Each structure stands twice: as C-alpha cells, then as structure tokens.
Amino acid sequence: MPLVGDRPEVADDPRVSVMLPPWDVKTVKDLAARPPTGIELDVLTREVDAYRRVVRGGGRLVLGTDAPLSPVGLHLHIAMRALHRHGFGTAEVLTTATRTPAEVFGVADHLGTVEEGKIADLTVVDGDPFTDFDDLIRITSVLRAGTLHERAALEKAFAHPRPRMSPRGGWAAAGEQMVRDGCCEVRHR
C-alpha cells in the first residue's frame, strides 16, 4: 500500500473518494499524502523478489488481501502494479488475479478465463495494458452477470452525502474497531 504515495491522485479518484467507506477514504488519503520511504521500497523489492523465486520455482502466486483491513479493489490494483514494477510481465500479473486463483481453489472449469461456458465478470479498460500497464486503472465499465455497468453510472449511484464521521461512533468507530480487532494494528509507544 505504500505505493499509493507514488500516485497521490488516486485519493481524489471517485472510486476512492465516493465509492469507498469513509474509513477507507481516510486510509487512502493518509497513504497518498506521503511518498513511500526508501525502507518501504526496499521491503517491497525483497517481497516481490521472494514471489518471483516462488513462481520461477514452480509455485503459484495468488493475489489477495486480508480485507476488511484494506480497500480490496485498490489493494489488488496496487499489488498488481508492484509486481509489474518489479519485473513480472503483464500476463503474469493478470493471471495472479484471474486464472491462478481459479486453479488453486479448484474452480478453473467454471472461472478464471474467458471461455464459452464459463462464468466471467469482466473489467473493460480504455487502452491496452500490454502496451501501457497504467491503462489498467482506466476502467470504463464492468460486465457482471451479463449486465454492462458504466463506470459513470456506478459512481453516480454512490454519490450521496456521507454520514458525519464522529470519533465516538458511526463510520469512524467501525473503522477503528476493524483495525483494533484485526491482525495488524500499529501500537505507538
């Protein structure tokens, strides 16, 4: 997630500022407010190198997250960006979120690739990520259960007043509790 600081404009993207719950919006804004540190980038490099060794050794890499501790879609996008940034090819990156998970979970006969007779939800992008990997973020629509949903319509459906974030309750308390009850709360001394 420190890579969000490389692309701070993501915090203002309506898919973050409008569609995510308020505690995730705050998390993304905080991450976007500072570039990744050298230590964070070094850790990321070592982490991706370990993934590369696993894959080159015949292992499989499946992207995922420990939601609800992070915004799932954004986390997966940033994880794919990190893999690509550190030498994974576009096809290798995309399969970590499509075909490989279907194989690992034993549902490859039904999911994971776009083929006749399979279940497939699709993300439509404006561009070609095999030419410019950044095109993956330029989503124009999604096809889910056979219905096309335009991005603008989805953003509009979420554009409603946010509940006030109160430190004593509401959205803020829900987000704080998820962090407190999760695995990874940072404790300051």
Side-chain angles (χ1 to χ4, degrees):
M1 291 304 284
L3 287 183
V4 171
D6 271 352
R7 300 290 298 264
E9 67 275 10
V10 75
D12 298 322
D13 187 305
R15 291 169 291 178
V16 170
S17 63
V18 174
M19 297 175 78
L20 290 181
W23 59 82
D24 283 342
V25 172
K26 181 181 181 326
T27 298
V28 174
K29 286 187 180 293
D30 290 349
L31 289 167
R34 65 168 186 79
T37 67
I39 291 171
E40 289 170 327
L41 293 174
D42 289 345
V43 168
L44 180 61
T45 298
R46 285 194 307 272
E47 183 178 340
V48 175
D49 284 346
Y51 299 153
R52 185 180 357 281
R53 287 191 307 273
V54 167
V55 171
R56 299 302 183 254
R60 294 192 248 175
L61 179 62
V62 175
L63 286 184
T65 181
D66 53 358
L69 300 177
S70 64
V72 178
L74 178 61
H75 180 274
L76 291 175
H77 176 76
I78 296 297
M80 287 191 294
R81 184 175 293 279
L83 292 175
H84 191 263
R85 175 182 181 152
H86 290 280
F88 278 75
T90 301
E92 286 179 298
V93 171
L94 293 174
T95 61
T96 66
T98 56
R99 184 182 66 221
T100 304
E103 291 169 352
V104 168
F105 290 109
V107 294
D109 289 344
H110 305 285
L111 301 171
T113 57
V114 179
E115 297 178 61
E116 186 175 339
K118 287 191 173 184
I119 300 167
D121 294 338
L122 303 175
T123 301
V124 181
V125 298
D126 181 14
D128 177 2
F130 289 92
T131 302
D132 180 358
F133 196 78
D134 285 342
D135 284 347
L136 279 180
I137 203 165
R138 296 182 184 95
I139 297 168
T140 60
S141 56
V142 294
L143 183 66
R144 186 167 192 280
T147 302
L148 185 67
H149 301 276
E150 298 291 334
R151 177 178 159 185
L154 292 171
E155 290 172 1
K156 185 177 178 182
F158 279 85
H160 51 77
R162 296 280 189 174
R164 189 170 87 75
M165 289 183 68
S166 162
R168 292 187 177 12
W171 289 108
E176 290 164 4
Q177 181 176 351
M178 284 195 301
V179 170
R180 199 173 44 251
D181 294 345
C183 68
C184 309
E185 180 178 12
V186 176
R187 302 205 188 269
H188 301 282
R189 294 177 191 227

